[in-house]
Amino acid sequence: MIPSIVFIMALIFRQENLTFWNIIGQAKIWGLLLSAAGALAVVLWKGPVVLTSMLVNIKGTSDSVLGSVMIIVGLLASSFWNILVGHVLQFYPAELSLTAMMNLFGTIQTAIISAFVISWSSWKLKWEGGLVLVTILLGGVVVTGLSYYVMMWAIKKKGVVFEAAFNPVLVVFLFLLQTFLLGNSIHLGSIVGGVFVILGLYLFLWAKANDMEKERTVADDSAYSPLSSTMKVEGKSSTILPTRKRVQQ
């Protein structure tokens, strides 16, 4: 749902343009809707089993009420983060130092909350053959550090909606990892949802590519307009005339 929420927020804060009745505007809307529908289909609709995995299926306990509240809070927080970062990068275009500051303050906040919420016995690391260390390094270096830097770089280059449009692809990758690593069976809903996500992402990227081409064409036309050419010619003539006068003298 993050791309749809970010798209609405970007329209409100004027970080994205939309011509509703244009084919490009319709492609943006339907692309985001298809991606959101596909991601929801993977999570909420299982359907009949298409292929049963031979691996051991790992299941955990769940709390639907608390989980739903945390998911909604996470969606809103991630969407606001995209909008705020897109605005901050206009005035502070240093993605690497911005990523470092975000991770530093995130670490401080997490440490303070963990000191009150998590019991002291939970701070003892159970290495489990090195798997815990690999998870910590992967989460700190790749998932947090590198991914935030890449996301901010993408927001700076292409905009907040472009970066957020790739979020439903995470659902497809999680479906593949759960199938081949955790032993979950393949359901029809996962396949249909994955197809919807890819089609929606393709529609949206096609619309953004056309938007960028139009903006580039408008910029080129304004740069080589007759008015700007006349101003350039007049500027050259004004610098050449004094030289001619000096030569005649």
Side-chain angles (χ1 to χ4, degrees):
M1 298 300 297
I2 289 179
S4 302
I5 298 174
V6 171
F7 183 67
I8 296 173
M9 290 183 177
L11 290 176
I12 295 174
F13 292 101
R14 297 181 180 180
Q15 295 188 16
E16 182 72 18
N17 297 321
L18 175 65
T19 305
F20 186 79
W21 298 112
N22 192 4
I23 186 173
I24 297 177
Q26 289 292 315
K28 288 182 182 180
I29 295 174
W30 285 106
L32 293 175
L33 289 177
L34 279 175
S35 295
L40 289 176
V42 173
V43 177
L44 300 179
W45 177 53
K46 289 187 176 181
V49 177
V50 178
L51 181 63
T52 303
S53 177
M54 301 301 294
L55 300 176
V56 178
N57 193 359
I58 301 175
K59 295 183 179 180
T61 59
S62 62
D63 188 339
S64 58
V65 177
L66 181 60
S68 300
V69 173
M70 294 179 69
I71 287 175
I72 293 174
V73 174
L75 289 175
L76 295 177
S78 299
S79 302
F80 275 115
W81 179 85
N82 279 269
I83 298 297
L84 291 175
V85 167
H87 183 70
V88 170
L89 287 175
Q90 297 177 2
F91 304 96
Y92 189 80
E95 302 96 339
L96 192 59
S97 60
L98 185 59
T99 303
M101 288 187 288
M102 288 174 52
N103 289 329
L104 173 62
F105 285 102
T107 302
I108 295 173
Q109 294 172 13
T110 306
I112 294 174
I113 295 175
S114 301
F116 291 97
V117 176
I118 306 300
S119 61
W120 290 105
S121 60
S122 300
W123 287 90
K124 297 179 180 179
L125 295 178
K126 299 176 182 179
W127 296 108
E128 299 291 340
L131 182 61
V132 175
L133 179 60
V134 172
T135 304
I136 293 173
L137 293 177
L138 181 66
V141 177
V142 179
V143 178
T144 303
L146 183 61
S147 66
Y148 277 153
Y149 171 72
V150 173
M151 285 190 291
M152 284 190 285
W153 177 81
I155 290 174
K156 180 182 176 181
K157 294 293 183 180
K158 301 292 185 179
V160 294
V161 181
F162 183 89
E163 184 274 328
F166 286 86
N167 276 274
V169 183
L170 295 175
V171 179
V172 179
F173 280 108
L174 287 175
F175 156 69
L176 295 175
L177 291 175
Q178 285 182 347
T179 301
F180 294 105
L181 295 182
L182 300 182
N184 290 353
S185 300
I186 302 176
H187 294 80
L188 181 62
S190 301
I191 299 176
V192 174
V195 173
F196 278 9
V197 167
I198 299 302
L199 289 177
L201 182 61
Y202 177 79
L203 270 177
F204 181 81
L205 293 180
W206 176 82
K208 290 295 291 183
N210 280 272
D211 263 353
M212 295 174 62
E213 186 66 27
K214 284 187 175 181
E215 292 176 359
R216 192 179 299 113
T217 303
V218 171
D220 292 341
D221 291 342
S222 61
Y224 295 100
S225 63
L227 179 60
S228 61
S229 300
T230 304
M231 294 175 63
K232 291 179 182 179
V233 171
E234 291 178 353
K236 289 181 180 179
S237 62
S238 63
T239 55
I240 294 173
L241 283 176
T243 308
R244 289 178 178 176
K245 289 181 180 180
R246 287 195 298 268
V247 171
Q248 291 176 359
Q249 291 175 358

